[in-house]
Amino acid sequence: MVLAALLALLLLPAAVRGGGAPGAEELLYPPARIGVIGAGIGGTAAAYFLREKFGRDVLIDVIERGEVGGRLATLNLEGRDYEAGGSIIHPLNLHMKHFVKDLGLSTPQGEGGLLGIYSGDEFVFEESGWYVWNFLKLLWNYGLNPLRMYMWVEEILDKFMRIYRYQSHDYAFSSNEALLHALGGTSFMQLLNQTIGEAMQKAGFSQRFINEMVTPVMRVNYGQGTNVNGFVGAVSLAGADSGLWSVEGGNKLVCSGLLYASKAQLISGTVLSVEEKTRQKARSGNPAKLYEVTYHSKSGLTTELYDILLIATPLQRKIANITFPNFNPPIPEFSRHYHQTVATFVHGRINTTFFGYQDPSQFVLSSIFTMEHPKLFINSIGVVSPVKKGTAAEPTLGPPVWKVFSREPLTKEQLHLLFASYDSVEEKKWLAYPRYSPPEKSPPIILHDRMYHLNGIEWTASAMEMSAIAAKNAALLAHHRWYKKLDKVDQEGLQDRLKTEL
């Protein structure tokens, strides 16, 4: 009996016996408090997933300097709200679909419309209401390129969908490169290291098709041409698919819903600095490393201490100027730029002659994407609907509301070129997404022992679903590293391993 008890004691993990690394004993206990900086889709999803993994007793704070929703925001024009930030969600965005269902939100039926591609001199393609006619025009102009592009994007999406299976089995990755490699191997890494133009040329797509069909999609989704990396380019092309949807009342409702579901405390304040501090643990009396977050609120400067910290905002000085004093080694600075895009909402009548239509009655397009051209000062223009649809008793009168994407604010002269007349104009400037320039190297996820950064994933591709994936990955990573479950981190061959578990 004594021998058996002694053997059992010797076989206990070092962390349980307290004989492992200094401070290992405290890791037996759940963290007392977790901080999340940022209440956009990444931060609120992180709070939601942290609650799932760490349980109901952990205190979770979400610190936000602005509105809940971050870059998911609406803009009011004449008493109605319109999506000004992240606007569309793909039918295969499984985290976003789960959030909407779990939170009891609704998704209105999408409104159709006809698309035109404008070169700056003429329309190189215009949709009609006849599907067969559209198909024949695409076939005549581009051969099998459109069909091949659909299959090419589907192959990439098929590999990318593996992430949901991996995360459902609680696997996490310590870097964005490791995550992408686990999904698509060297082919995904190659996409990060070349432009979408180069990737499609190597895949045999014609230059005309790339110029006339691919470039306009890049311009509307990411404000750049085919010089973006191949992976974000594929995400952009998937975003041009059919079946896209949004949330009734605005996509930002997902963020407020996740915050509520997580039972996290929302703190309104601007984070100034994060510093590591040593304090005694109340439970064990042992010294413990904590993160002291200093933020400015209405009541002045305030500090809070956290066992684990997740940063869900771009660490770029124009967006979140957070300092990290006294870390050894120092927390690296992230100096790479975010791309400005301007969303301008105009209630008015479009000037069809600007696009070559002398007779306005012949103009039936509701969306126009543009190619690269020196005279073009817009990336796209399209009719938009309010996030909350009116009732039959409240019809929308007069001309539609148009949403214009451009790199710079529109001047009055440009507005008069685009519109024959208009009643009101509102604009929103965004540092919306990274300025892509492959080869891409993502910022690290692990900034320090228990401090994690979500937004590095944007350098692979910036999208709502990518932020949700990063949030779950960071929550899983924080959990596994706290409890020393490293067999769930950076595992190779997961696709084959999980097949054998069926």
Side-chain angles (χ1 to χ4, degrees):
M1 290 291 288
V2 175
L3 182 59
L6 181 60
L7 284 172
L9 180 62
L10 290 172
L11 291 171
L12 281 173
V16 175
R17 291 186 279 113
E25 184 179 352
E26 75 212 32
L27 300 187
L28 286 173
Y29 300 106
R33 201 171 189 186
I34 301 176
V36 179
I37 300 174
I41 185 62
T44 54
Y48 179 89
F49 290 127
L50 286 166
R51 179 65 67 203
E52 277 190 347
K53 293 308 300 176
F54 285 97
R56 63 184 183 182
D57 295 328
V58 175
L59 296 176
I60 300 175
D61 290 341
V62 177
I63 308 172
E64 170 59 48
R65 68 175 181 178
E67 298 290 327
V68 172
R71 282 173 280 171
L72 303 190
T74 56
L75 179 144
N76 189 275
L77 182 72
E78 298 178 348
R80 295 191 174 196
D81 291 331
Y82 297 86
E83 289 285 7
S87 302
I88 56 172
I89 304 169
H90 193 275
L92 294 180
N93 290 167
L94 300 191
H95 283 320
M96 292 299 293
K97 286 179 72 173
H98 168 73
F99 295 157
V100 167
K101 181 179 179 181
D102 192 39
L103 299 172
L105 299 172
S106 59
T107 55
Q109 190 70 30
E111 298 178 6
L114 301 179
L115 168 69
I117 306 292
Y118 187 62
S119 71
D121 297 315
E122 62 180 350
F123 280 98
V124 298
F125 180 79
E126 292 180 78
E127 273 189 310
S128 78
W130 294 83
Y131 172 80
V132 173
W133 182 238
N134 290 331
F135 177 79
L136 290 174
K137 281 199 293 185
L138 286 170
L139 192 64
W140 177 261
N141 288 332
Y142 309 111
L144 294 177
N145 278 272
L147 179 60
R148 290 184 58 240
M149 184 187 77
Y150 173 81
M151 296 171 65
W152 186 71
V153 172
E154 283 295 300
E155 182 182 355
I156 293 171
L157 284 179
D158 186 52
K159 291 179 180 177
F160 183 75
M161 294 294 287
R162 295 171 181 172
I163 189 61
Y164 300 110
R165 189 142 186 247
Y166 298 169
Q167 291 190 334
S168 71
H169 285 78
D170 277 1
Y171 287 104
F173 302 92
S174 63
S175 71
N176 294 302
E177 285 82 4
L179 187 153
L180 283 186
H181 190 270
L183 300 180
T186 55
S187 65
F188 272 22
M189 303 312 295
Q190 287 170 354
L191 286 174
L192 280 185
N193 293 319
Q194 60 187 339
T195 68
I196 183 65
E198 291 167 343
M200 296 191 78
Q201 284 175 344
K202 287 180 181 177
F205 293 94
S206 73
Q207 191 60 53
R208 180 188 175 189
F209 178 73
I210 294 171
N211 291 342
E212 295 183 3
M213 300 300 285
V214 177
T215 296
V217 175
M218 301 302 121
R219 283 167 59 83
V220 68
N221 286 336
Y222 290 103
Q224 295 179 242
T226 53
N227 58 329
V228 301
N229 75 66
F231 188 79
V232 75
V235 170
S236 186
L237 292 172
D241 202 355
S242 60
L244 305 176
W245 52 279
S246 58
V247 175
E248 176 82 20
N251 292 331
K252 66 181 181 181
L253 294 182
V254 176
C255 300
S256 54
L258 290 171
L259 191 63
Y260 178 81
S262 72
K263 296 181 172 58
Q265 175 184 217
L266 177 65
I267 296 174
S268 180
T270 300
V271 175
L272 304 176
S273 66
V274 177
E275 192 169 357
E276 189 181 36
K277 297 289 185 181
T278 302
R279 296 288 186 270
Q280 262 197 343
K281 271 289 188 182
R283 286 169 175 156
S284 64
N286 293 334
K289 299 289 189 179
L290 301 173
Y291 296 111
E292 182 181 76
V293 176
T294 301
Y295 61 92
H296 190 273
S297 65
K298 290 180 180 178
S299 57
L301 283 181
T302 308
T303 61
E304 303 289 354
L305 290 167
Y306 298 104
D307 296 288
I308 295 172
L309 186 65
L310 272 65
I311 300 174
T313 185
L315 289 175
Q316 207 269 352
R317 291 194 180 279
K318 290 184 179 180
I319 301 174
N321 191 13
I322 302 172
T323 61
F324 300 88
N326 303 320
F327 278 91
N328 187 19
I331 304 298
E333 284 200 21
F334 306 102
S335 57
R336 297 173 68 183
H337 296 292
Y338 269 61
H339 180 89
Q340 174 179 278
T341 192
V342 183
T344 306
F345 294 79
V346 183
H347 182 202
R349 299 184 187 280
I350 194 169
N351 178 16
T352 60
T353 60
F354 181 82
F355 296 100
Y357 273 84
Q358 302 306 315
D359 182 0
S361 65
Q362 298 295 309
F363 185 85
V364 294
L365 302 175
S366 61
S367 294
I368 300 171
F369 293 2
T370 64
M371 296 170 56
E372 298 280 1
H373 193 284
K375 90 166 195 180
L376 286 175
F377 48 87
I378 65 169
N379 293 336
S380 67
I381 180 171
V383 174
V384 290
S385 299
V387 296
K388 195 167 181 61
K389 303 297 184 288
T391 63
E394 299 175 337
T396 303
L397 301 175
V401 172
W402 297 83
K403 182 179 183 180
V404 185
F405 278 129
S406 58
R407 293 179 182 176
E408 299 293 337
L410 299 178
T411 65
K412 286 187 177 181
E413 291 76 14
Q414 290 170 337
L415 283 169
H416 286 304
L417 284 173
L418 280 177
F419 294 93
S421 64
Y422 57 86
D423 299 322
S424 55
V425 179
E426 294 286 346
E427 75 171 20
K428 180 71 176 179
K429 296 178 187 175
W430 294 102
L431 288 175
Y433 22 69
R435 187 178 298 166
Y436 294 106
S437 180
E440 303 286 10
K441 173 67 176 174
S442 294
I445 296 174
I446 302 170
L447 298 181
H448 195 252
D449 293 344
R450 303 175 200 164
M451 182 165 60
Y452 306 89
H453 184 220
L454 276 63
N455 291 73
I457 204 168
E458 290 192 69
W459 292 98
T460 63
S462 180
M464 282 180 270
E465 186 71 5
M466 295 298 287
S467 293
I469 287 168
K472 183 153 190 178
N473 182 66
L476 289 170
L477 191 59
H479 178 269
H480 299 336
R481 282 165 56 86
W482 181 271
Y483 289 111
K484 302 294 187 183
K485 296 183 177 181
L486 300 185
D487 60 322
K488 287 289 189 177
V489 178
D490 291 339
Q491 294 299 303
E492 297 284 347
L494 286 177
Q495 177 72 359
D496 293 333
R497 185 186 306 181
L498 292 178
K499 278 181 182 178
T500 63
E501 291 179 7
L502 290 177

